[in-house]
Amino acid sequence: MIFRPLASALIALPLLATPLLAHEPGTGAHGGVRVDAGHYHAELVADGTPAVSLYLSDGSDKPVPADGFKANAILVVDGKAQRFPLSPAGGSRLAGTAPVAIPKGVKGVVQISAPDGATTQAKY
């Protein structure tokens, strides 16, 4: 009987720890919103202009060279989806120009294709 609460606690411990292993959305090194995107972290930087940047880093927050990556942004501005490509722009940055100004804190998704053909999504 004494072992039942202990066994229950030991079984529940991994379930409680799992959310701690994932990174919550937060502010990235460039002032944008950083989220998990598969094996990567993706930081979306939008400042109210049509210019948008996406910075890639690994699970340890070390920059990942953007060469060979490509991405498609689908961001919602004033209730309308704005779709545009992002391409390597030096270092760990992919950049693109939206058809409208993209506000800071925009919601949407960026579909990312790695050089090896693997794909992932960053949801904002």
Side-chain angles (χ1 to χ4, degrees):
M1 292 285 246
I2 292 175
F3 295 109
R4 181 178 243 164
L6 180 59
S8 295
L10 291 175
I11 290 170
L13 186 58
L15 298 174
L16 294 174
T18 301
L20 298 176
L21 298 176
H23 287 104
E24 293 296 321
T27 303
H30 303 93
V33 177
R34 188 196 76 211
V35 299
D36 287 337
H39 297 293
Y40 306 100
H41 290 158
E43 178 185 354
L44 183 68
V45 178
D47 63 2
T49 68
V52 175
S53 294
L54 184 77
Y55 293 89
L56 299 175
S57 58
D58 65 14
S60 300
D61 290 328
K62 292 181 183 173
V64 172
D67 293 336
F69 280 84
K70 56 185 173 180
N72 287 303
I74 306 167
L75 305 175
V76 179
V77 178
D78 293 330
K80 295 181 182 178
Q82 303 297 324
R83 299 172 189 265
F84 57 97
L86 302 168
S87 56
S92 65
R93 180 173 163 249
L94 293 127
T97 303
V100 299
I102 304 296
K104 188 172 187 172
V106 68
K107 301 294 182 193
V109 66
V110 177
Q111 300 167 331
I112 303 166
S113 297
D116 65 2
T119 60
T120 190
Q121 289 187 348
K123 296 178 183 177
Y124 298 94

